Amino acid sequence: MASKSAGISAKKQQELQTTYSNYKNTLQQLAQKIGDVEQEAEEHKLVLDTLEPLPGDRKCFRMINGVLVERTVKDVIPALKTNAEGLKKVLDDLVKQYKIKQDDLEKWKVGRLRKLGNSTLVTPTKVDSQAVRLYGCSYRRKITSRLSSRDAISVLRQAGVDAESGNRVM
């Protein structure tokens, strides 16, 4: 009796692997964007923390579209706060997109396994291993701070990171 995995055509296996790779790449891109936006938000916070104690009429410089312009602290602080709030909204939207795409991937995997009769489907288990390499332990803090604990543990497991210690697991 032939195994069920042998019954799957090479073309079908290639389609499944391509679909899985597309999901994986999308998750990695979202994780990268989350990291970039978080870094920019941290920079805004650092600048705000530096400027707030200063007198409002003090001169400061701000980069606008690559041009350094002279402003006063009282002019710059409201713009920075607005930008920081916008970054927070973008970050929340990206995290929601990440969770939705991750749920889609899980549903797809479950659906494929059911259709294949739980036969062996070769798929990498470390969905975000590249993101973990990029961010290391900070990736754990970034993702887990925005997800429920169940979702965060799932993301970390898929990424090959121990949820307790934050260390990569091989």
Side-chain angles (χ1 to χ4, degrees), residues 73-105:
V73 170
K74 67 180 176 190
D75 294 334
V76 171
I77 287 179
L80 282 173
K81 286 182 179 178
T82 302
N83 288 350
E85 290 170 6
L87 287 171
K88 185 177 185 293
K89 289 177 185 175
V90 168
L91 193 57
D92 291 342
D93 289 343
L94 285 172
V95 170
K96 286 177 187 173
Q97 288 177 18
Y98 186 95
K99 285 176 63 176
I100 289 169
K101 192 51 102 169
Q102 184 184 25
D103 290 344
D104 290 347
L105 173 61

Side-chain angles (χ1 to χ4, degrees), residues 123-138:
T123 56
T125 57
K126 295 180 181 177
V127 175
D128 291 321
S129 60
Q130 183 179 4
V132 172
R133 281 193 300 271
L134 291 171
Y135 300 116
C137 199
S138 66

Side-chain angles (χ1 to χ4, degrees), residues 144-159:
T144 57
S145 66
R146 288 174 180 75
L147 301 175
S148 69
S149 60
R150 182 180 59 92
D151 292 336
I153 290 171
S154 173
V155 168
L156 292 171
R157 280 189 187 139
Q158 289 176 350

Side-chain angles (χ1 to χ4, degrees), residues 16-78:
L16 292 173
Q17 192 63 37
T18 300
T19 303
Y20 182 83
S21 294
N22 289 340
Y23 275 115
K24 182 179 115 177
N25 291 337
T26 302
L27 286 172
Q28 288 175 345
Q29 289 170 354
L30 285 171
Q32 177 70 38
K33 287 178 186 176
I34 288 170
D36 292 345
V37 171
E38 272 198 340
Q39 182 178 1
E40 196 165 331
E42 284 296 320
E43 289 173 4
H44 276 71
K45 183 182 179 300
L46 179 66
V47 171
L48 276 170
D49 290 346
T50 303
L51 291 179
E52 284 179 337
L54 299 177
D57 59 343
R58 183 169 175 170
K59 179 182 355 179
C60 68
F61 294 89
R62 181 173 181 219
M63 183 77 71
I64 301 176
N65 294 328
V67 178
L68 196 61
V69 294
E70 184 178 331
R71 300 276 190 234
T72 62
V73 170
K74 67 180 176 190
D75 294 334
V76 171
I77 287 179

Side-chain angles (χ1 to χ4, degrees), residues 107-121:
K107 289 175 188 172
W108 178 83
K109 285 198 294 189
V110 168
R112 293 299 112 205
L113 290 175
R114 282 190 188 134
K115 280 188 175 181
L116 297 173
N118 289 330
S119 66
T120 304
L121 178 63

